[in-house]
Amino acid sequence: MGTLPFYLTAFALLPLVFGNDDRAIAFSPAEIDFLFPGPFSRRDLVVYKMVKLVLGSIAGGLIFSLWLRHFSDRIAFAMIGATLALVFINLFTTVIALARDILDEQRYAWARRLATLGLLGGAAWIAWNTHDSSLPYTKALQEISQSPVARAATAPARVFAHVFAARSWGECGMWSAACL
């Protein structure tokens, strides 16, 4: 579980750094033609988009779990953890897009620059601390993960990493519930 929170945190923050040109809740032209004339409330349309996002995350989680398989003892735990992590990442990206739509462009640009500087600073700090170490990269990264700054930065991802590291179905269920 030592390095997985770093990978999940970096993956979750990529949309913040590189941005996303789509609006938070955007509908395709086909969805507009089919859904908007129908007897659906705005809430129904938002729920439809969120369910579509979760279903896409489930499909992506199954593929993502193959890459993250070596972090788990069981492929089922890797699938559950990857799916929950992707749901979180996609919902986090949606929240960022909603914040971008609410904030004016200048404030969002400053927040994005600060986040990018923070990420670059964190990556430089990790590189600096692992470069001079006589330990292998992953062992040095595990030592860095024990620092208070790294623990705070990766705290949300640690919950998902516990799903991967679960030893039993009960433990996996408990940590999955915490993820939800």
Side-chain angles (χ1 to χ4, degrees):
M1 186 176 86
T3 58
L4 183 60
F6 283 107
Y7 298 138
L8 293 177
T9 301
F11 192 66
L13 295 178
L14 283 176
L16 181 62
V17 173
F18 293 109
N20 189 0
D21 292 337
D22 290 337
R23 299 190 53 82
I25 301 175
F27 291 90
S28 69
E31 289 172 328
I32 291 171
D33 291 343
F34 181 71
L35 295 173
F36 282 30
F40 307 110
S41 67
R42 289 182 180 175
R43 179 185 171 138
D44 293 338
L45 295 174
V46 170
V47 168
Y48 162 76
K49 288 304 279 189
M50 293 298 109
V51 167
K52 185 178 170 184
L53 181 136
V54 169
L55 291 176
S57 297
I58 290 170
L62 297 176
I63 296 167
F64 192 43
S65 67
L66 298 175
W67 178 65
L68 296 172
R69 167 67 174 101
H70 67 277
F71 289 105
S72 182
D73 289 340
R74 297 183 185 175
I75 188 70
F77 295 164
M79 287 180 181
I80 293 168
T83 300
L84 290 172
L86 277 182
V87 168
F88 173 77
I89 290 167
N90 287 332
L91 290 175
F92 181 68
T93 303
T94 302
V95 168
I96 291 171
L98 286 171
R100 182 190 63 225
D101 290 345
I102 292 170
L103 295 174
D104 60 348
E105 190 61 35
Q106 186 178 12
R107 288 185 187 163
Y108 177 73
W110 275 106
R112 192 168 149 197
R113 286 182 192 122
L114 287 173
T116 302
L117 285 174
L119 285 174
L120 290 175
W125 180 71
I126 289 171
W128 176 263
N129 286 319
T130 57
H131 174 70
D132 293 334
S133 177
S134 61
L135 297 172
Y137 173 73
T138 55
K139 294 291 184 187
L141 196 57
Q142 286 176 353
E143 283 187 7
I144 291 171
S145 70
Q146 300 308 314
S147 72
V149 173
R151 290 184 65 76
T154 61
R158 287 184 182 280
V159 178
F160 297 101
H162 280 289
V163 175
F164 283 89
R167 299 284 181 212
S168 67
W169 283 102
E171 188 179 354
C172 179
M174 179 186 69
W175 285 109
S176 296
C179 291
L180 292 175

